[in-house]
Structures are given as structure tokens and as C-alpha cells.
């Protein structure tokens, strides 16, 4: 496992490298230059060289990067070779969609159960996963060594959910609700907001129309 501390700005670019490297491996490409990576990722070649120098400076100047080696290293850094026992809190539209998506299993998430307050949902199965009563969550996390909680509740419920999670040994929260909250520093929080991305798309289209 790689030990050097890498800045979060670099880390946030790694998923893009990771997905393009998969594409290159599928096409049988063995080596790739920073210029080629630049064309497919949209990052500048010098940015890419700087990023990749962070973890061992693969490839010599001018000879390109070994695709498979780079892929393995980036997967290692991102912890994608691990498997995290995960629960989903909020078994509504989004919670069910995440539970139903098989792609996350490939990358670290091992979803074990969903939790909800709604008696109509509790006791149901979503893609062979049980929907359990939120009141049982603390014991469940402890008994099953759960490491990640995915929050898919309405924003009004998030603070309450966060207070419960804070008292467990959970390692990370993947939060989809549109609200900020704090938990103790031992728990890593990553929030996702599709609306932010939509605003960027809207900006790009509206700029085009203004020109
Ligand atoms: P939904 O209403 O279909 O599902 C929410 C579920 O949470 C319900 O089943 C409800 O019973 C449950 N719930 C309420 N309080 C709870 C509590 N204290 N503990 C456990 N479960 C509880 O809503 P939907 O459409 O699935 O959205 C869920 C959240 O995700 C919302 O906050 C929404 O704004 C957000 N969202 C975020 C997106 C993003 O890009 N990050 C995209 C879509 C939705």
C-alpha cells in the first residue's frame, strides 16, 4: 500500500485516470503518454506528469506510462482493492437505486442492508437486501462490523442520523442528502451532489447560447 501523503486535489483527479486506464486496457493498449492521457482526460500533460510523479514517477521521460502498472497503483491508492461493509440509510428512490446498482460491488462497496423509518418499507427486500428498522442500526453496525454508511434520507433526518452514526465505529459516510453536517474527525465524510454538476452543464450550455 502506498504511504506518501497525496493532496486531495490530486486524489480527486485519480478516478478519471482510473476509468480511462480501464478503457485503454480493454483496447489492449500497453503504454500511454502524458500527451495521450491529456487528450482523453482534458487535464494538461504537465498536470498529468505532476500528478503521476506523486506516486513513484512511472515511466521515463518520453517513453510513456505502463497502463496496467499505473492502473494497479491508482487502484491501490484509492483503496479499490479493499471491500467495505456498507449500509444504506433511507430506502426510498435513491437508496433503492444504489442498492440495485451492481457496479459498486466491483469497487469496494459490499452493501449488506438498508435502514428506514417507514413501516411499509421495513421488512421488505431490495435486490435481496433486507430493509431494517432504523432503531436497530447501532447494534447492526456493531455486530456486522459495518464500515461505511450511505445516507439517502431527506435532509431533515440527516442530523439525527449523523448523531447515531457518530456513536458507532463507522469509518466513512457517503452522503447524498443536500445538507452539511459535522461528525467527529475519525469519520470521513464525502458528499455527492448531482445538482452541482447539473449547474455546471447549465452554465456551459448558457455560455454557448450567449456567444
Ligand atoms: P425518498 O423520499 O424516496 O426516500 C427517502 C427515504 O428516507 C424514505 O424511505 C424515508 O422513509 C426514509 N427516511 C426518512 N427519515 C429517515 C430516518 N431518520 N432514518 C432512516 N430513513 C429515513 O427520497 P429520495 O428521492 O430517495 O432522496 C433521498 C435523499 O437523496 C434526499 O435528501 C434527496 O434530496 C437526495 N438526493 C440527492 C441526490 C444527489 O445528487 N446527491 C440526487 C437525488 C436525491
Amino acid at each position: 500500500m502506498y504511504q506518501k501523503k497525496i493532496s486531495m486535489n490530486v486524489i480527486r483527479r485519480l478516478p478519471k485516470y482510473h476509468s480511462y486506464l480501464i478503457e485503454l486496457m480493454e483496447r489492449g493498449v500497453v503504454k500511454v503518454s502524458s500527451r495521450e492521457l491529456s487528450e482523453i482526460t482534458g487535464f494538461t500533460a504537465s498536470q498529468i506528469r505532476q500528478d503521476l510523479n506523486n506516486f513513484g514517477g512511472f515511466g521515463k521521460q518520453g517513453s510513456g506510462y505502463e497502463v496496467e502498472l499505473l492502473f494497479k497503483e491508482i487502484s491501490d491508492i484509492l483503496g479499490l482493492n479493499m471491500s467495505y461493509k456498507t449500509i444504506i440509510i433511507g430506502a426510498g428512490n435513491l437508496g433503492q437505486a444504489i442498492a440495485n446498482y451492481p457496479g459498486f460491488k466491483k469497487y469496494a462497496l459490499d452493501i449488506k442492508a438498508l435502514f428506514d423509518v417507514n413501516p411499509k418499507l421495513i421488512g421488505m427486500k431490495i435486490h435481496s437486501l433486507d430493509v431494517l428498522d432504523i432503531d436497530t442500526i447501532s447494534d447492526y453496525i456493531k455486530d456486522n462490523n459495518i464500515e461505511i454508511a450511505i445516507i439517502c434520507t431527506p435532509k431533515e433526518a440527516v442530523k439525527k442520523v449523523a448523531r447515531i452514526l457518530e456513536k458507532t465505529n463507522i469509518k466513512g459516510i457517503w452522503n447524498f442528502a443536500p445538507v452539511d453536517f459535522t461528525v467527529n474527525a475519525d469519520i470521513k465524510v464525502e458528499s455527492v451532489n448531482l445538482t452541482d454538476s447539473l449547474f455546471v452543464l447549465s452554465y456551459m450550455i448558457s455560455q454557448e447560447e450567449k456567444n
Side-chain angles (χ1 to χ4, degrees):
M1 186 63 62
Y2 205 75
Q3 297 296 321
K4 186 179 163 187
K5 185 95 181 131
I6 299 170
S7 87
M8 280 312 287
N9 287 337
V10 177
I11 296 296
R12 290 198 185 278
R13 283 192 288 273
L14 294 188
K16 206 158 187 182
Y17 294 126
H18 185 269
S19 68
Y20 284 117
L21 288 166
I22 292 178
E23 230 176 275
L24 293 175
M25 287 192 298
E26 281 168 359
R27 288 187 356 230
V29 177
V30 177
K31 283 206 166 190
V32 64
S33 68
S34 47
R35 188 182 47 77
E36 286 164 306
L37 273 176
S38 161
E39 277 162 21
I40 48 182
T41 59
F43 307 143
T44 66
S46 87
Q47 176 80 81
I48 289 167
R49 281 193 296 272
Q50 265 179 40
D51 283 354
L52 302 188
N53 273 341
N54 266 293
F55 30 93
F58 298 103
K60 297 187 189 78
Q61 187 80 24
S63 70
Y65 299 100
E66 281 184 38
V67 171
E68 208 174 314
L69 195 64
L70 194 52
F71 172 79
K72 281 191 183 137
E73 193 74 11
I74 289 176
S75 302
D76 252 12
I77 292 166
L78 292 175
L80 298 178
N81 304 323
M82 325 260 284
S83 176
Y84 301 108
K85 290 181 188 150
T86 301
I87 50 166
I88 297 174
I89 307 174
N93 294 308
L94 187 61
Q96 294 194 22
I98 292 175
N100 279 322
Y101 177 58
F104 291 137
K105 192 151 187 99
K106 220 164 45 179
Y107 298 122
L109 281 195
D110 178 12
I111 300 172
K112 297 291 190 193
L114 297 92
F115 287 84
D116 209 289
V117 283
N118 183 345
K120 287 191 184 136
L121 291 172
I122 295 166
M124 268 179 61
K125 279 204 186 282
I126 311 284
H127 199 70
S128 80
L129 299 170
D130 290 320
V131 181
L132 304 174
D133 189 332
I134 189 72
D135 287 344
T136 65
I137 194 170
S138 301
D139 286 343
Y140 186 93
I141 289 174
K142 195 166 157 228
D143 296 345
N144 295 280
N145 299 317
I146 299 298
E147 296 159 290
I148 293 181
I150 305 178
I151 298 185
C152 297
T153 64
K155 64 176 192 243
E156 295 73 24
V158 170
K159 287 211 168 109
K160 193 172 167 204
V161 168
R163 293 291 76 81
I164 298 171
L165 293 177
E166 205 168 33
K167 295 194 189 100
T168 69
N169 283 332
I170 210 115
K171 291 180 182 160
I173 297 175
W174 198 18
N175 170 44
F176 282 82
V179 62
D180 291 325
F181 60 92
T182 50
V183 278
N184 64 52
D186 294 342
I187 305 176
K188 309 296 173 211
V189 180
E190 173 69 9
S191 293
V192 182
N193 197 331
L194 296 181
T195 314
D196 291 354
S197 176
L198 174 64
F199 288 175
V200 174
L201 176 65
S202 164
Y203 167 78
M204 291 190 295
I205 295 171
S206 66
Q207 286 301 302
E208 196 68 22
E209 280 170 1
K210 281 178 198 157
N211 289 330

